Amino acid sequence: MTHTPGITRPPRDIIDALKHLGAASVAGILGHIGIRNPHILGPTSWNPGKAIAGPALTLQFMPKREDLYGEGEYADPEKQLHRHVLYHVQEGDVVVVDARADMTAGVFGDMMSTYFKGRGGAGMVIDGCLRDYPNLKKLDLPLWIRGWTPNFHTQTGLMPFAVNVPIACGGVTVLPGDIIVADDDGAVVVPVALASKVIETSKVHHEWEDFSRMKLMQGAPLQRYYPLHDDARAEYEEWRRANPAPPTSK
């Protein structure tokens, strides 16, 4: 049996807080604290309206080399490393795949994706393609991918090479266990060591956003209300006392 390593999962409350923030807010905060580009470029949402956050299980593809890969998809299924990343899936996990932006090979199809959903996976982010779109559409899985192909995963020029190793996905380094936040804006990578700082920074930066949004909708000056000018701070604080933030507010 092929052995592949597992991951260390961050606390659920941290993951939930990042999901509540959303990809755009998380990317902006990361930019301000030094991670300039956490956005996985290329994969886009194929199930609009879905939002996820969860720890990354990683799968790396490499250009196929026949002496390393061999022949026959089913000759020895347990050598197929794309299966093994799914064996690690727990509820809320996100499978992140470096498929080299290849548009000719489907990383997973109907059966593998059904297994992923049955294991409780939150969603997939793939710098490449899936296959079996008519059936996957029925699964209602949150997916961030480049597109679709009728070809299976090693039919052309790719082979699965490693599971739960550092990968480059859409121009971003993803470490196993990093937190993925994805919605209709795209998918971003949050280093676990910075997750708490992102959440704390969001509380300071966004505490006044509901107030500012209200004022801007009323046609108030952008210069005064976004970002909130010091001269408007007392006005905001008076509004906040009359309109306490709900417990789940950013």
Side-chain angles (χ1 to χ4, degrees), residues 71-126:
E71 296 291 337
E73 184 181 8
Y74 299 115
D76 185 353
E78 290 311 310
K79 288 184 178 180
Q80 300 277 332
L81 287 178
H82 74 307
R83 300 169 65 96
H84 286 264
V85 72
L86 301 182
Y87 296 160
H88 290 283
V89 172
Q90 296 182 15
E91 185 173 357
D93 287 349
V94 180
V95 166
V96 184
V97 183
D98 170 17
R100 304 180 61 81
D102 188 283
M103 300 299 292
T104 68
V107 171
F108 301 114
D110 174 21
M111 302 304 286
M112 297 295 184
S113 301
T114 298
Y115 178 71
F116 172 78
K117 183 167 184 177
R119 298 275 295 183
M124 298 181 183
V125 179
I126 300 173

Side-chain angles (χ1 to χ4, degrees), residues 16-217:
D16 290 342
L18 292 171
K19 179 180 178 181
H20 178 71
L21 287 174
S25 292
V26 168
I29 294 167
L30 284 169
H32 287 302
I33 64 178
I35 305 298
R36 302 303 300 175
N37 184 25
H39 174 220
I40 296 176
L41 185 62
T44 57
S45 173
W46 280 79
N47 200 339
K50 299 292 187 181
I52 64 170
L57 297 166
T58 64
L59 173 63
Q60 180 193 48
F61 276 78
M62 295 286 276
K64 186 163 69 175
R65 211 177 86 180
E66 285 72 12
D67 64 312
L68 296 176
Y69 183 74
E71 296 291 337
E73 184 181 8
Y74 299 115
D76 185 353
E78 290 311 310
K79 288 184 178 180
Q80 300 277 332
L81 287 178
H82 74 307
R83 300 169 65 96
H84 286 264
V85 72
L86 301 182
Y87 296 160
H88 290 283
V89 172
Q90 296 182 15
E91 185 173 357
D93 287 349
V94 180
V95 166
V96 184
V97 183
D98 170 17
R100 304 180 61 81
D102 188 283
M103 300 299 292
T104 68
V107 171
F108 301 114
D110 174 21
M111 302 304 286
M112 297 295 184
S113 301
T114 298
Y115 178 71
F116 172 78
K117 183 167 184 177
R119 298 275 295 183
M124 298 181 183
V125 179
I126 300 173
D127 192 14
C129 293
L130 291 173
R131 66 192 296 259
D132 295 330
Y133 177 67
N135 290 332
L136 263 69
K137 181 168 59 174
K138 299 173 187 176
L139 284 180
D140 197 30
L141 270 176
L143 299 173
W144 288 260
I145 63 175
R146 283 185 176 264
W148 302 87
T149 175
N151 295 340
F152 60 79
H153 73 297
T154 59
Q155 188 169 342
T156 54
L158 292 181
M159 63 178 181
F161 192 75
V163 170
N164 289 333
V165 298
I167 62 172
C169 187
V172 179
T173 297
V174 184
L175 304 183
D178 278 347
I179 302 171
I180 305 300
V181 180
D183 54 30
D184 288 348
D185 275 325
V188 299
V189 182
V190 182
V192 172
L194 295 178
S196 294
K197 187 173 182 180
V198 169
I199 295 166
E200 290 304 311
T201 302
S202 76
K203 294 176 182 176
V204 175
H205 183 72
H206 295 287
E207 61 181 2
W208 43 262
E209 276 201 347
D210 288 342
F211 170 73
S212 291
R213 188 176 293 109
M214 177 192 71
K215 298 300 290 186
L216 295 176
M217 183 61 73

